[in-house]
Amino acid sequence: MTDNLSAILYKKQDLRLEQRPIPTPKDDEVLLKIHSVGICGSDVHYWADGQVADFVVKAPMVLGHESSGVVESVGKKVTHLKPGDRVAIEPGVPCRTCKFCKNGRYNLCADVVFCATPPWNGNLCRYYTHAADFCYKLPDNMTLEEGALLEPLSVGVHACRRAGVTLGSKVLVTGAGPIGLVSMMAARALGATKVIMIDLVKSRLEVAKQLGADHVVHVTKTTSKEEAAAKILDALGEQPDKVIECSGAQASIRIALEVTESAGVIALVGHGEHDINISIADAACREVEVRGVFRYVNEYPLSLAMVASGKVDVKKLITHRFKLEDTLEAYETARTGAGGAIKVVINCVKQ
């Protein structure tokens, strides 16, 4: 056991495959033989731009945070996992002692160690150590690929929970990328009666329809917020009471504010420009709530249950598979969307 091939980002557009030492787990950690790692939009931005928002790559960093693996060994304090267990890896490990952690909002912990977020290494490699209590054992009817996709699904579940999606909700999802799609699937699993999606790309909307969206609406860069709202109302038959905004685009946020039902909720998932010009007077008068969404918190168990029960089929999101040795090609596919790429997954097991 000496091969720990790792995908290391040195700087903008400088991604290298190199060997690194196999780490030793601490008392409360497990050593994992990584199996599947999905490529997230943030991974692509780190590679292409060298940063995501205020997180800047200043030193070599192993990429990857949507992952699953098999337990190779355990620290002496770990009792709930054993070698051979297949697990999904929740990539953010908080301090556990600050007020946010103690209040159950550990995703807001200022000292969270999050995979592949500078300065912390990710797990696009053969072997990786992680806090045992943030590893979730997979049931026999779930694959390791499905385990890796619990990460983006947890984002969608958290977004829906922040928006208050429940039985009978009428949900609009803006943006039909991977996070928009898992948000739509999560909304359906949580009981939403109607789910409608909008996007600029027709092919993505076709996928959304196949995955369970009741209605889809194609908009263009020249579509006004009033025109978009009219299309949504025509398709849905009524105003949505919950909106999951996954694009981060100013135009989409304006559409959300225009179309949301009075007393409804808009959950902002997509992170776009820092400064966005929107008018909130009408929304304020109608008591429309706008809520932020950051990663997820206590969502992995529910996401796992959704997949294990068959309520959500994340396998349908996977369009491309690559070996670890072909990481550069995998990232280019994810960046360009070549071949209709939605979710690109890398297999890290030595072939």
Side-chain angles (χ1 to χ4, degrees):
M1 193 174 74
T2 59
D3 183 353
N4 190 23
L5 188 66
S6 305
I8 306 168
L9 182 66
Y10 276 75
K11 58 184 178 181
K12 176 180 176 180
Q13 297 177 19
D14 184 4
L15 177 59
R16 311 177 196 177
L17 289 170
E18 296 179 352
Q19 290 289 345
R20 282 199 165 189
I22 294 176
T24 300
K26 297 176 182 177
D27 290 351
D28 58 353
E29 293 181 335
V30 291
L31 173 64
L32 299 165
K33 186 175 184 179
I34 298 297
H35 185 279
S36 296
V37 179
I39 298 179
C40 173
S42 64
D43 295 317
V44 174
H45 279 298
Y46 281 125
W47 170 56
D49 306 322
Q51 68 179 87
V52 174
D54 295 329
F55 297 105
V56 181
V57 178
K58 297 179 180 179
M61 176 184 78
V62 179
L63 289 168
H65 65 273
E66 299 180 359
S67 55
S68 64
V70 179
V71 176
E72 187 76 18
S73 63
V74 303
K76 64 181 182 181
K77 292 184 179 179
V78 178
T79 59
H80 71 290
L81 293 172
K82 64 183 184 305
D85 284 344
R86 302 174 316 123
V87 298
I89 305 164
E90 182 173 351
V93 180
C95 75
R96 302 178 177 84
T97 60
C98 70
K99 69 176 182 180
F100 295 108
C101 287
K102 289 182 176 180
N103 288 332
R105 302 287 293 277
Y106 64 79
N107 60 319
L108 303 179
C109 172
D111 296 318
V112 65
V113 176
F114 200 92
C115 293
T117 299
W120 309 108
N121 286 314
N123 44 39
L124 186 49
C125 52
R126 303 259 199 246
Y127 291 95
Y128 169 79
T129 54
H130 198 70
D133 58 325
F134 280 82
C135 294
Y136 299 84
K137 187 175 178 180
L138 300 177
D140 292 340
N141 68 328
M142 277 183 65
T143 68
L144 283 159
E145 282 189 340
E146 290 174 309
L149 295 191
L150 291 186
E151 200 280 340
L153 178 58
S154 291
V155 176
V157 170
H158 185 53
C160 288
R161 282 181 153 181
R162 287 287 292 155
V165 174
T166 186
L167 189 66
S169 295
K170 306 173 294 292
V171 181
L172 166 65
V173 179
T174 59
I179 294 301
L181 292 172
V182 293
S183 295
M184 177 272 292
M185 298 165 82
R188 296 309 302 260
L190 289 169
T193 303
K194 297 178 181 179
V195 183
I196 184 169
M197 300 192 72
I198 66 170
D199 199 277
L200 297 170
V201 184
K202 288 184 177 180
S203 60
R204 285 185 171 184
L205 292 174
E206 291 171 2
V207 173
K209 192 71 174 176
Q210 294 169 8
L211 293 178
D214 296 293
H215 308 281
V216 297
V217 170
H218 178 244
V219 294
T220 69
K221 291 183 178 180
T222 60
T223 304
S224 70
K225 63 180 182 180
E226 292 82 9
E227 291 171 330
K231 289 184 176 183
I232 292 165
L233 290 173
D234 182 60
L236 197 60
E238 56 188 325
Q239 290 179 285
D241 60 329
K242 315 293 183 187
V243 177
I244 314 295
E245 205 302 294
C246 298
S247 72
Q250 176 175 280
S252 288
I253 298 173
R254 286 178 170 178
I255 291 169
L257 289 167
E258 177 76 17
V259 78
T260 304
E261 182 179 82
S262 295
V265 180
I266 301 170
L268 299 179
V269 186
H271 296 168
E273 298 295 328
H274 279 287
D275 297 319
I276 291 179
N277 184 18
I278 56 175
S279 175
I280 62 171
D282 179 61
C285 290
R286 297 188 297 110
E287 295 195 355
V288 172
E289 295 185 42
V290 179
R291 300 176 182 173
V293 176
F294 186 61
R295 294 172 178 161
Y296 34 75
V297 58
N298 296 311
E299 249 70 68
Y300 257 70
L302 177 55
S303 297
L304 192 154
M306 285 180 173
V307 176
S309 66
K311 290 286 187 181
V312 173
D313 186 358
V314 290
K315 297 190 300 296
K316 292 181 178 178
L317 295 169
I318 303 173
T319 54
H320 294 73
R321 294 174 171 86
F322 291 89
K323 296 183 295 184
L324 180 58
E325 291 84 350
D326 299 322
T327 291
L328 279 171
E329 183 182 355
Y331 266 69
E332 184 65 14
T333 299
R335 184 185 70 83
T336 62
I342 296 175
K343 179 55 66 177
V344 178
V345 174
I346 297 173
N347 187 318
C348 295
V349 177
K350 186 174 182 179
Q351 305 296 310

